[in-house]
Amino acid sequence: MRNTKWFTGLLVLVMAVSLLAGCGKAEKAPDAASAPAAAEGIKIGVLYSTTGPFSISEKPMLNAAKLAIDEINAAGGVKGKKLIPVFEDYASDPAKATEKIKKLILQDKVVATVGTNSSASRLAVIPDVERNKSVLVYNTYYEGEKPSPNVIYTNSVPSQQSADFIPWIVKNLGKKVFFVGSDYVFGVTSVKKAKAMLEKAGGQIVGEEFVPLGHTEFSSLINKIKQAKPDVIFSAVAGDSVVPFYKQYQQYGLSAKDMPICSIATHEATVKGIGAAAAAGHYSSFSYFQVVDTPESKKFVAAYNSKFADNTTVTNLAEGAYHGVYLLAKALEKAEKYDGPTLISAFKGLEVDSPQGKIKVDPTNNHTWLQSRIGKIKPDGMFEIVYSSNALVKPEL
Amino acid sequence: MELLISQSINGLSVSAMLFITALGLVIIFGLMDVVNMAHGEFIMIGAYVTYFVTTVFHAPFVVSMLMAFLATALLGALIELTLIRRLYGKVAETLLATFALSIILQQLVRMAFGPEDKFVGMPLEGRFNVGGIVIPHYNLFLIFVAVAILAVTLALFYKTPYGMQLRAVTKNRSMAQCLGVNTARIDTLTFACGSGLAGLAGALIAPVKSVMPSMGSYYIVDGFLTVVLGGFASIAGTAASSVVISESVTVMAGYMSEITAKVLVFLVIIVLIRFKPEGLFTTEKR
Amino acid sequence: MLKEVKTVGWDKTIDILLLLFLVSFPLMTSLFRVEMMSKCIIYIVFALSLDILWGKAGLMNLGQAMFFGLGGYVLALSYATRDGVPAFMSGFGVTEVPWFMQILHNTPVAVLLGMLIPGLVAGLLGYFIFTSKVKGVFFNIITLSLASLIELFFTNQQKYTGGANGISGLPPLTIGEEPLSVLEHYYVMLAVGLLVYLFCRWLTNSRFGMILRSVRENESRLQFLGFNPAAFKLSIFVISGMIAGLAGMMYIPIGSFVSPTNIGVGFSTAVLVWLAVGGRGNLTGAMIGAFLVTWLESLLSEHFENVWLLILGAAMLAVVMFFPKGLVGTLLDWQYCRRVDRQLGDVSCDDGLGLMDGELATAKGKV
């Protein structure tokens, strides 16, 4: 028994010392590093969760960001300086994200941060990014918001995902559309935008339903869909609900042949979970699919798959993080100083050749002009691109 | 009206699923006073076993049900022998230990197999179509399995020597010990049985839900609601309360938000237990 | 019978050391760490709110975060709706701030409600649970399910709560015209934390605190002596809920953000972990636990990718298995036993006398 007690004392001591040491070490690091670091490299924050439920989308994004940083450094870096990534994991907790962004900006003195994925974590970090006049490069398709002056949004907003999709649906699949979505800002906003576009395109809204975020039981929804007899289902069902939705859709005997689901949130990784049998024949709209046939895309997918054997899939999200880092590198190349406002203005009008093709940052609203594509899921579970826009689609909020 | 009928029928298969996912929790909690926070992770492990058996090794689904049960039961026994055993009678400590365990298990699976969804195919494809109301075969299978599990556990607890000993231990541990019951073995068996049922639940939900590291968190809440309503040690009570909760929520969800329905049902439960503290479906008095 | 053991317990010593450390902390480190420490102080207050309930009265609330979250949401809504309809509401077609939020525009009223509403919820819940004859564990299960339902409910009521995204961009504290600096915030939080600590010490040493302890130890005897245990449980539950609500409000200017993760099961379990690590029933353990765990979590996740969560889980498991009384609890028992050993000579009292969690040392030496 005595031993245990000594052990306790020791443990407390060790914990206290390591804690102080941890603080001390972390404190000293930037002081010692700041002067030479300025000459050696440019620090950028990479803020993605590898623990907790968000890691399902953020692990591939982290991988893609790592890949892009390595490629840029291998090609000589930015203005002869290497990019030095500082990785932080916020454990899928927006409250923790606020702490981590402060750490990145105030302690590590990063010039910009690439990261966050869910709207909750983006909104949680924006006040700190703004207060400290730093820069956030946000790489996920999302619902659209009044752009923060300190954030560059490099993936699509609902209008970009639906602008070509809705007219195409009306023309090729049918006029009667049933709208479903996850009941949160992304789902609700996307459905609202899509409905307006459908009316303009001459379609007919035959129903609208929202399911709670993370919902996994779709029998009620499927009953309502069947009663409404639509031609097409437009789906903004997102997150953990996507796989059960498709699985149960098939289980209840609805088929892609009669009523295809046209989704703005179902990508390669979720199709794997749904299974080719249940997923085949449904459609998705994104700016990028893994099968996009550009040299950049082929190089990206091959490099990703050879570098990361961790059971993750290249999706639109991963490509977003990848081109986000490239945009950032180009902005760093262009900017003379690395304070927030200068860096942000360096982004405006910037163009890069990304895996999805040429993309361009809008000069006014901090969002990005992107490609628009519609993919149909083939019986082998891969997407087949059935539509590509000829011109970049404008980000309209 | 058609909506009402088909919702009620859906409610039955939802009940079956709730009963299957909650039963392991009820057994471990009701009989051993252990709030098993890792229950969801046992469900997840069962689902992953199913993924490996059916998708990777292409074995029949029934085999995966068996394997999921055995694998999680084994894991449960191991955990009982190494951790839980030393913490009996301390609700807080067992809860925290199983919570820590759930964090570790979830992150281990995430690191080993990746964070993304795994695919488990649908073993029974067909469906009945009665006057516009569709009933998938698999849902009937779920109801059938739920009834079978109910029958088997009831028989196990009330008709076998093990069950008798278990009930003796639950009622009065030291007395049972005096009468020569090997309480340690009973504890291990019971914990293994509860974990195994969670694994089996994981196998059964895998074809219709997502299979991923954090999936377990979706089943814990409803499991505890079922425990609250059904009373603690009562297996039949669990069955009844699963039906009541799922039916009321599913039928109400046809007309309002499902969350609102759930909150309403829960408020009713809190008020009811004021008057019937042993849970609604227990008649036995100690 | 032994003589009274008259020395200052290590718990008080640790408390004073902790206070000195916290007061001088800003001198030692960067502003960023100070800001983290402000959050840590809030967590300490939150941990205290559970310790007076669980440690002292034996009521393990598995949903303590719902009070924290309620307090937080009340103040957050008060700030967010002050300049017209916020974006998260207008996005869902709300054109006018609803009346029940307009009341909140008056800051004192909001602060008052931020404590009263959690207190009221605790009161109602407590009334239904404590006055019926349910088993003790029932309290755990019902609070656990309630916490998860509240989390779902707040996620679902996005018109009024911002849904899963929560409410962000909340302002710092302002006194007069200028918003407070990081350092000023820190000392304001420290002062409030100190007040809460003193209140908890006073409360648990008072007659009321003594009765609470007997609620934990032997409820039926208390009843026999003519007390009504339900009334005592109910009042400590309400007080605990109000302090948690206060902690939730303190969180708003520091975190500038509130979301359903602040109200649900995950956060409720986190506070249980802090108490388990530090040791419950002696206030010091709660504070040390909250302090150690939050800092370990931050520093570990800064240094180890992926596996930090495993390390944290394993450490948690180790404490629960080997130090069931928590670090501080074990330390206090050890100190007490040494003292008793010295007085008794060869009779060793070893690991406690069935009392729990450092309670031994505070039992004033009556063996």
Side-chain angles (χ1 to χ4, degrees):
Chain A
M1 236 31 234
R2 270 293 132 79
N3 285 340
T4 331
K5 284 161 195 163
W6 276 112
F7 187 50
T8 322
L10 202 66
L11 194 78
V12 173
L13 203 68
V14 167
M15 271 181 157
V17 168
S18 62
L19 200 63
L20 287 173
C23 294
K25 185 181 146 221
E27 258 18 280
K28 267 186 214 114
D31 298 335
S34 57
E40 281 164 8
I42 303 166
K43 275 192 177 178
I44 58 173
V46 181
L47 182 61
Y48 288 114
S49 299
T50 53
T51 53
F54 292 176
S55 58
I56 190 168
S57 337
E58 299 190 19
K59 189 76 204 297
M61 297 180 84
L62 172 67
N63 287 346
K66 270 185 189 163
L67 179 64
I69 292 169
D70 288 350
E71 285 177 4
I72 292 166
N73 284 341
V78 173
K79 291 183 185 163
K81 292 180 197 164
K82 293 242 183 305
L83 295 181
I84 303 175
V86 182
F87 299 105
E88 283 295 342
D89 171 11
Y90 67 94
S92 307
D93 179 1
K96 226 162 261 163
T98 63
E99 177 196 314
K100 293 297 184 190
I101 194 81
K102 279 183 199 137
K103 190 233 166 207
L104 288 171
I105 299 174
L106 298 175
Q107 178 161 309
D108 297 322
K109 310 255 184 326
V110 298
V111 297
T113 302
V114 177
T116 70
N117 168 53
S118 71
S119 288
S121 40
R122 180 192 72 251
L123 290 169
V125 302
I126 283 182
D128 283 306
V129 174
E130 289 180 350
R131 212 172 291 154
N132 296 298
K133 299 193 175 51
S134 187
V135 174
L136 174 74
V137 182
Y138 178 70
N139 308 309
T140 306
Y141 55 92
Y142 85 115
E143 64 273 7
E145 68 188 2
K146 185 170 163 282
S148 155
N150 294 68
V151 181
I152 294 295
Y153 306 79
T154 75
N155 213 326
S156 34
V157 292
S159 65
Q160 284 170 298
Q161 282 186 283
S162 304
D164 293 352
F165 203 17
I166 296 285
W168 185 89
I169 289 171
V170 173
K171 193 171 149 220
N172 295 289
L173 301 176
K175 278 191 163 57
K176 287 193 284 182
V177 182
F178 192 104
F179 289 86
V180 297
S182 287
D183 196 4
Y184 73 126
V185 188
F186 173 74
V188 173
T189 317
S190 301
V191 165
K192 200 160 84 184
K193 294 258 157 85
K195 266 165 49 188
M197 287 176 187
L198 182 72
E199 276 174 350
K200 227 192 294 172
Q204 183 194 348
I205 303 162
V206 296
E208 178 185 344
E209 283 292 331
F210 292 98
V211 292
L213 203 56
H215 197 60
T216 63
E217 181 53 55
F218 286 91
S219 50
S220 325
L221 175 67
I222 291 168
N223 269 332
K224 287 175 192 165
I225 291 178
K226 268 195 299 204
Q227 287 195 328
K229 299 191 177 61
D231 298 325
V232 181
I233 289 95
F234 179 90
S235 162
V237 171
D240 296 348
S241 303
V242 175
V243 171
F245 178 43
Y246 282 74
K247 278 184 170 177
Q248 289 166 32
Y249 194 78
Q250 192 207 25
Q251 194 200 3
Y252 277 83
L254 299 183
S255 76
K257 210 176 280 166
D258 309 328
M259 275 183 234
I261 302 172
C262 295
S263 166
I264 55 169
T266 306
H267 48 60
E268 289 87 345
T270 37
V271 167
K272 271 192 195 169
I274 297 163
H282 296 296
Y283 298 87
S284 292
S285 164
F286 282 114
S287 52
Y288 176 78
F289 291 96
Q290 214 186 92
V291 293
V292 164
D293 196 18
T294 62
E296 286 85 2
S297 169
K298 283 184 179 146
K299 195 183 117 218
F300 167 56
V301 175
Y304 185 102
N305 288 334
S306 72
K307 191 166 172 159
F308 305 103
D310 58 355
N311 294 305
T312 54
T313 315
V314 173
T315 61
N316 168 275
L317 293 168
E319 195 264 352
Y322 184 79
H323 76 229
V325 172
Y326 268 97
L327 275 173
L328 174 61
K330 203 149 190 194
L332 288 168
E333 193 81 54
K334 191 173 142 195
E336 282 150 22
K337 293 185 302 174
Y338 293 158
D339 62 304
T342 322
L343 191 54
I344 285 283
S345 54
F347 269 101
K348 300 194 168 165
L350 215 55
E351 284 185 18
V352 295
D353 285 315
S354 71
Q356 62 175 270
K358 193 180 279 299
I359 56 172
K360 185 177 94 184
V361 179
D362 189 89
T364 54
N365 68 10
N366 288 11
H367 284 66
T368 312
W369 293 62
L370 297 164
Q371 305 284 337
S372 163
R373 294 189 172 92
I374 298 169
K376 181 181 186 180
I377 303 164
K378 290 188 293 181
D380 65 354
M382 293 305 286
F383 277 96
E384 169 193 3
I385 293 172
V386 294
Y387 168 88
S388 282
S389 62
N390 295 320
L392 288 175
V393 181
K394 184 180 190 289
E396 268 177 289
L397 302 175
Chain B
M1 195 58 210
E2 196 186 306
L3 184 66
L4 188 67
I5 295 170
S6 52
Q7 285 298 82
S8 323
I9 293 171
N10 284 338
L12 276 182
S13 59
V14 178
S15 313
M17 221 177 302
L18 178 57
F19 173 71
I20 297 167
T21 48
L23 187 60
L25 197 66
V26 173
I27 287 179
I28 291 178
F29 178 68
L31 301 177
M32 314 174 79
D33 265 3
V34 172
V35 181
N36 183 11
M37 298 294 276
H39 181 75
E41 275 59 42
F42 283 122
I43 293 181
M44 181 263 292
I45 290 170
Y48 268 80
V49 170
T50 310
Y51 160 73
F52 280 107
V53 172
T54 59
T55 310
V56 179
F57 296 108
H58 304 290
F61 187 71
V62 184
V63 178
S64 76
M65 283 168 62
L66 197 68
M67 292 295 291
F69 180 85
L70 288 178
T72 45
L74 209 65
L75 183 68
L78 201 70
I79 287 167
E80 200 276 341
L81 286 171
T82 50
L83 301 177
I84 311 293
R85 159 136 317 168
R86 312 162 113 226
L87 301 173
Y88 277 123
K90 303 182 198 162
V91 178
E93 275 76 9
T94 47
L95 183 138
L96 290 163
T98 49
F99 173 70
L101 203 65
S102 79
I103 291 182
I104 295 173
L105 288 176
Q106 198 187 106
Q107 185 62 10
L108 276 179
V109 168
R110 182 172 289 126
M111 283 161 67
F113 308 120
E116 291 173 3
D117 292 273
K118 297 288 177 217
F119 168 66
V120 172
M122 169 59 63
L124 287 171
E125 286 285 356
R127 58 200 69 82
F128 295 111
N129 205 330
V130 191
I133 296 166
V134 174
I135 309 165
H137 289 169
Y138 190 71
N139 286 4
L140 293 178
F141 174 69
L142 278 180
I143 296 170
F144 168 75
V145 173
V147 173
I149 291 177
L150 175 64
V152 170
T153 29
L154 281 179
L156 188 69
F157 284 9
Y158 291 98
K159 299 281 181 222
T160 61
Y162 157 73
M164 201 151 73
Q165 290 181 348
L166 172 64
R167 280 179 295 138
V169 172
T170 319
K171 291 255 152 82
N172 191 334
R173 178 170 289 264
S174 46
M175 182 58 96
Q177 227 156 4
C178 291
L179 293 172
V181 176
N182 183 348
T183 53
R185 215 183 96 237
I186 295 289
D187 287 337
T188 314
L189 277 176
T190 311
F191 200 85
C193 178
S195 317
L197 283 172
L200 180 59
L204 287 165
I205 60 173
V208 286
K209 304 274 162 116
S210 16
V211 178
M212 56 185 180
S214 56
M215 66 184 280
S217 58
Y218 290 116
Y219 305 102
I220 278 241
V221 180
D222 291 3
F224 279 121
L225 281 187
T226 317
V227 176
V228 169
L229 184 64
F232 294 106
S234 164
I235 291 162
T238 308
S241 72
S242 324
V243 175
V244 169
I245 291 177
S246 307
E247 277 294 348
S248 45
V249 171
T250 315
V251 169
M252 281 156 86
Y255 306 94
M256 63 173 86
S257 147
E258 182 164 320
I259 306 256
T260 318
K262 234 180 222 175
V263 171
L264 283 180
V265 169
F266 186 72
L267 290 181
V268 171
I269 293 175
I270 292 196
V271 175
L272 282 181
I273 55 127
R274 170 74 180 78
F275 304 104
K276 193 126 178 22
E278 314 82 26
L280 290 192
F281 301 104
T282 37
T283 44
E284 51 196 286
K285 280 254 159 54
R286 286 192 186 160
Chain C
M1 271 294 189
L2 280 170
K3 286 182 291 179
E4 291 257 334
V5 181
K6 281 190 200 124
T7 37
V8 180
W10 282 11
D11 50 345
K12 307 282 184 338
T13 321
I14 298 175
D15 290 353
I16 292 166
L17 285 177
L18 183 66
L19 180 66
L20 288 177
F21 175 69
L22 289 178
V23 169
S24 55
F25 185 73
L27 301 175
M28 298 186 257
T29 181
S30 68
L31 277 187
F32 160 66
R33 295 292 177 196
V34 172
E35 207 166 342
M36 268 174 81
M37 193 56 98
S38 311
K39 214 183 249 182
C40 184
I41 292 173
I42 295 159
Y43 291 156
I44 286 178
V45 172
F46 184 38
L48 284 175
S49 82
L50 184 63
D51 201 28
I52 57 171
L53 182 67
W54 181 23
K56 292 294 174 188
L59 296 166
M60 183 169 70
N61 181 4
L62 297 188
Q64 188 76 358
M66 61 190 165
F67 304 132
F68 183 95
L70 280 174
Y73 268 103
V74 167
L75 194 62
L77 284 171
S78 149
Y79 283 138
T81 56
R82 213 160 282 188
D83 313 315
V85 184
F88 68 84
M89 283 187 185
S90 55
F92 286 89
V94 179
T95 50
E96 196 179 334
V97 177
W99 61 268
F100 53 87
M101 289 182 191
Q102 283 177 4
I103 312 171
L104 298 176
H105 289 183
N106 186 333
T107 311
V109 173
V111 170
L112 204 65
L113 282 178
M115 291 178 74
L116 283 181
I117 290 175
L120 189 71
V121 171
L124 279 175
L125 190 64
Y127 171 75
F128 277 106
I129 299 177
F130 299 139
T131 56
S132 75
K133 291 192 184 101
V134 290
K135 264 166 79 181
V137 259
F138 198 89
F139 179 71
N140 309 340
I141 298 298
I142 215 154
T143 46
L144 179 70
S145 355
L146 197 63
S148 51
L149 272 179
I150 278 202
E151 187 177 352
L152 281 179
F153 187 70
F154 270 69
T155 312
N156 192 235
Q157 292 299 311
Q158 40 196 333
K159 253 185 210 174
Y160 303 119
T161 62
N165 292 347
I167 305 169
S168 59
L170 299 166
L173 282 181
T174 315
I175 292 180
E177 291 294 303
E178 282 289 295
L180 297 186
S181 72
V182 172
L183 215 57
E184 287 163 335
H185 266 116
Y186 178 77
Y187 283 109
V188 168
M189 294 303 151
L190 189 57
V192 179
L194 186 64
L195 283 179
V196 172
Y197 166 77
L198 291 175
F199 172 76
C200 290
R201 273 269 176 250
W202 170 77
L203 186 78
T204 50
N205 286 336
S206 67
R207 200 176 117 85
F208 178 75
M210 297 293 175
I211 297 173
L212 280 182
R213 215 172 297 163
S214 45
V215 168
R216 187 185 73 198
E217 299 302 336
N218 195 336
E219 199 174 311
S220 39
R221 183 173 299 174
L222 194 68
Q223 224 158 3
F224 182 71
L225 291 172
F227 291 100
N228 178 7
F232 284 96
K233 288 191 201 169
L234 193 60
S235 13
I236 193 66
F237 195 34
V238 171
I239 294 172
S240 160
M242 288 171 78
I243 296 178
L246 175 69
M249 285 192 289
M250 289 161 73
Y251 182 77
I252 296 303
I254 303 291
S256 70
F257 161 79
V258 65
S259 86
T261 49
N262 294 118
I263 204 169
V265 178
F267 197 39
S268 300
T269 321
V271 64
L272 291 179
V273 171
W274 304 339
L275 259 68
V277 168
R280 55 188 187 272
N282 55 51
L283 302 185
T284 309
M287 298 195 290
I288 293 294
F291 177 79
L292 276 182
V293 177
T294 47
W295 277 92
L296 265 184
E297 209 173 299
S298 296
L299 295 178
L300 279 178
S301 66
E302 279 171 23
H303 293 285
F304 307 96
E305 195 190 338
N306 275 326
V307 288
W308 68 271
L309 202 58
L310 294 181
I311 302 176
L312 199 70
M316 228 147 75
L317 207 54
V319 171
V320 173
M321 299 299 300
F322 302 112
F323 307 104
K325 296 180 177 185
L327 299 177
V328 174
T330 312
L331 200 71
L332 291 182
D333 278 2
W334 178 48
Q335 181 205 18
Y336 182 75
C337 285
R338 262 176 34 135
R339 219 179 281 153
V340 173
D341 281 354
R342 226 176 289 146
Q343 296 195 355
L344 285 177
D346 49 6
V347 188
S348 166
C349 88
D350 206 53
D351 208 13
L353 308 161
L355 293 178
M356 57 187 290
D357 306 346
E359 195 64 35
L360 202 54
T362 38
K364 291 273 159 67
K366 295 234 170 63
V367 177

